């Protein structure tokens, strides 16, 4: 009897386990999975994966359990049926008529969803109440819909996890949470990047087929509904299983592996999504290794000539009030440029410009998201655990590159081809004194091409020239920070600009088109009076991919950066290890600025500069120095790797790749430096010490 009543759970559970197993096998053989697995490691990954899936399915079955719990014929008898229907009608009217009902207070579309759900529930209940002869057919229809929703969600989740892994080499994380929040850009990106209609048709077809099979084999269970005693037994069993599943996941989700891909493949995406959703800011002092705060600050500040948080930067040369244009290029890995060994000629303009610039050849991004790159270039601080400061509530009135320029009388703006509300950029930059020029400022005739992320980079280049010409006429110097958008999936752009069609959705095409747009910008800029008095800083926000064998693969954080100014900057290569947070302090040094600084990056041309870099995910914080990578993680974990360069896969003479060999014995001095940097930064942010 018991097994008969849980047949729907068994069939759906078996289907979920099969789909999840297929996904794991696909991940094991996916090209992005660069790690190799032995037989026993594969067995471990699949075994832990199945256990995770069982636990997750039990918890996800709560809605199905509630559905069966409320199946009853008694509730349609007089007077219960009329009373229940009356309650449904009153509830429906409450949502429809009362302006400030509880659902509308939540905002968004919650009220509309609740109204539709209660409306359908009322309609079906009334049909089953007044047409008892059709009750079985109506109940079967509802049951079919419930099973169809479950099968569709199972398949859709599997497809979503595949595409997410294909893009990032990870299960769901903070990025997936952002995708849920910024639905317009994300859904638009998916619509433009993938064959959505065939995909949805295929998902629907498979879901309908599986639903029909499960429905045919289990629908007879609705003819003999469980009595109250049986329902209590079923409910008690489910509560016990749910408790075991929650307890089990608390253990299985903490199982670690030296191979990051193994950890991701054996995991289940839904618990990871939930964790990311509820932990957008990690308390460093709760989760990470610590030392005495004064010691940490002393260690960290010792790198500066004046070992204080607020330092006086004094130049022995006259200040230069040159315009500065900072261009953050979306997803431009170092390996795309010929200067780093690429032979595909993807960036002919940037490579030619690099020959006349200061080129930083050994520079590393702080993270793998645009907001991390913007944070590093604007605040010039190491990354902190959890979300970027740009995404946090306490993100205003900070000490920024913009605030330094404003103190010198500059006009300060942030330029972005998309809508700057995305990723909280508008809130952050406006809250820190930047003027904003984004897609809202474009007239229809100024847009030759746009996709979901924004106007094409060439359109933003024309708008930037227009903005800079207006600023130059005011008589004030200007600082403009331009964030490009075109080198992002779906990689669409106007046809005829480069030798890869604009609808090919090719990453190489996206790189080429951005390079084309930058050349267009410079060709226009050279004709302007302000050009000779302008310093151009060009740098990637992050790499195209961050997937690798370890939690922080060095190869995936190396980005190109150069500083160009016609007649001012003398070409040279700077080959020492440096961080994205060092770029703007270095630019201020080139301009001989005198200012009070709270930046935690260094001017790399000063004698006290220490070669180092900070690289991080949302929870793994890495410090690169002296050919070592030290990583600290939640639960006070510490790992350290020795770094050895190996020849580029693109061209043997360019060494931009690294072997990372885990060390059993740590270099304690570097461990202390790592903790000091991240602990001090976290403390200062928490206590608003980095505000203006």
């Amino acid at each position: 009897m018991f097994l008969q009543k849980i047949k729907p759970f068994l069939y759906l559970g078996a289907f979920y386990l099969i789909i999840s197993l297929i996904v794991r096998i696909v991940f094991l053989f996916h090209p992005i999975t660069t790690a190799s697995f032995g037989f026993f490691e594969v067995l471990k990954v699949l075994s832990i994966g199945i256990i995770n899936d069982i636990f997750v399915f039990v918890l996800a079955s709560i809605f199905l359990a509630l559905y069966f719990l409320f199946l009853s014929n008694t509730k349609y008898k007089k007077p219960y049926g009329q009373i229940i229907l009356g309650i449904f009608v009153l509830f429906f009217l409450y949502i429809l008529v009362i302006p400030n009902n509880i659902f509308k207070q939540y905002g968004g579309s919650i009220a509309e969803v609740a109204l539709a759900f209660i409306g359908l529930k009322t309609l079906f209940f009334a049909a089953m109440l007044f047409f008892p002869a059709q009750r079985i057919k109506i109940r079967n229809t509802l049951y079919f819909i419930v099973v169809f929703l479950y099968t569709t969600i199972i398949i859709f989740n599997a497809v979503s996890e595949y595409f997410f892994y294909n893009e990032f080499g990870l299960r769901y994380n903070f990025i997936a949470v952002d995708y849920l929040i910024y639905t317009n850009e994300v859904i638009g990106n998916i619509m433009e990047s993938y064959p959505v209609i065939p995909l949805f048709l295929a998902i629907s077809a498979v879901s309908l087929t599986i639903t029909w099979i499960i429905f045919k084999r289990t629908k007879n269970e609705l003819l003999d509904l469980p009595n109250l005693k049986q329902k209590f037994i079923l409910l008690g069993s489910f509560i016990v299983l749910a408790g075991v599943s929650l307890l089990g996941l608390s253990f299985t989700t903490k199982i670690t592996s030296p191979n990051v891909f193994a950890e991701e493949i054996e995991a289940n995406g839904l618990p990871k999504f939930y964790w990311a959703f509820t932990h957008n800011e990690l308390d460093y002092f709760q989760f990470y290794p610590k030392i005495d705060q004064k010691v940490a600050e002393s260690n960290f500040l010792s790198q500066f000539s004046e070992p204080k948080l607020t330092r006086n930067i004094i130049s022995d040369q006259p200040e230069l009030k040159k315009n500065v244009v900072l261009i953050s290029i979306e997803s431009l890995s170092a390996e795309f440029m010929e200067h780093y060994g690429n032979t595909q000629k993807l960036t002919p303009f940037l490579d030619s410009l690099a020959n006349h610039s200061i080129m930083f050849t050994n520079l590393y991004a702080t993270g793998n998201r645009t907001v991390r790159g913007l944070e590093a270039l604007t605040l010039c601080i190491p990354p902190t655990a959890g979300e970027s400061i740009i995404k946090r509530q306490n993100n205003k009135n900070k000490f920024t590159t913009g605030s330094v320029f404003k103190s010198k009388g500059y006009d300060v703006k942030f330029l972005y081809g998309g809508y700057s509300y995305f990723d909280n950029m508008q809130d952050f930059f406006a809250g820190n004194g930047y003027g904003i020029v984004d897609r809202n400022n474009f007239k229809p005739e100024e847009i030759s091409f746009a996709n979901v992320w924004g106007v094409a980079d060439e359109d933003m280049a024309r708008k930037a020239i227009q903005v800079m010409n207006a600023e130059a006429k005011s008589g004030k110097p200007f600082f403009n920070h331009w964030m490009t958008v075109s080198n992002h999936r779906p990689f669409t752009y106007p046809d005829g600009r480069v030798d890869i069609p604009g609808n090919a959705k090719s990453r190489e095409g996206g790189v080429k088109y951005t390079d084309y747009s930058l050349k267009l910008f410079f060709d226009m800029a050279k004709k302007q009076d302000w050009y000779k008095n302008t310093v151009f800083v060009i740098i990637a926000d992050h790499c195209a991919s961050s997937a690798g064998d370890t939690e922080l693969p060095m190869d995936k954080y190396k980005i190109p950066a150069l500083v160009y100014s016609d007649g001012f900057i003398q070409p040279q290569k700077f080959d020492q290890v440096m961080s994205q947070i060092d770029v703007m302090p270095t630019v201020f040094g080139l301009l001989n600025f005198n200012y009070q600084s709270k930046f935690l990056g260094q001017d790399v041309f000063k004698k006290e500069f220490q070669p180092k870099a900070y690289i991080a995910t949302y929870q793994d914080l890495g410090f690169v120095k002296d050919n070592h990578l030290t990583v600290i993680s939640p639960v006070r974990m510490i790992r350290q790797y020795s770094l050895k360069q190996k020849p580029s896969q693109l061209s043997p003479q360019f060494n931009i790749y690294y072997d990372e060999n885990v060390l059993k014995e740590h270099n304690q001095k570097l461990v202390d430096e790592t903790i000091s940097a991240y602990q001090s930064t976290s403390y200062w942010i928490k206590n608003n010490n980095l505000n203006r």
Side-chain angles (χ1 to χ4, degrees), residues 362-426:
N362 210 1
L363 186 149
Y364 295 86
T366 59
N368 50 21
R369 297 293 316 283
T370 295
V371 284
R372 279 297 186 197
L374 294 176
E375 174 189 85
L377 295 168
T378 305
L379 301 178
C380 306
I381 61 173
T384 50
E387 265 292 12
S388 162
I389 290 171
I390 291 174
K391 302 289 288 292
R392 300 181 192 177
Q393 289 186 343
N394 184 21
N395 65 0
K396 299 173 180 64
N397 301 312
K398 301 298 182 187
F399 183 80
T400 66
T401 53
S403 64
V404 173
F405 281 115
K406 290 197 86 167
S407 72
K408 302 294 180 183
Y410 278 65
D411 194 337
V412 174
K413 286 188 175 68
F414 175 66
L415 282 59
Y416 181 63
Y419 294 111
S420 58
Y421 75 83
F422 182 75
D423 262 351
N424 214 41
M425 289 184 283
Q426 181 178 24

Side-chain angles (χ1 to χ4, degrees), residues 164 168 171-183 186 269-280 369 387 391 422-423 618:
F164 195 85
F168 301 104
R171 297 274 189 170
Y172 298 141
N173 60 10
F174 270 17
I175 303 170
V177 175
D178 283 352
Y179 279 14
L180 184 68
I181 295 170
Y182 297 106
T183 51
V186 174
L270 296 178
K272 288 178 71 68
F273 182 91
Y274 174 78
W275 191 92
F277 188 81
T278 55
H279 293 77
N280 74 329
R369 297 293 316 283
E387 265 292 12
K391 302 289 288 292
F422 182 75
D423 262 351
Y618 61 91

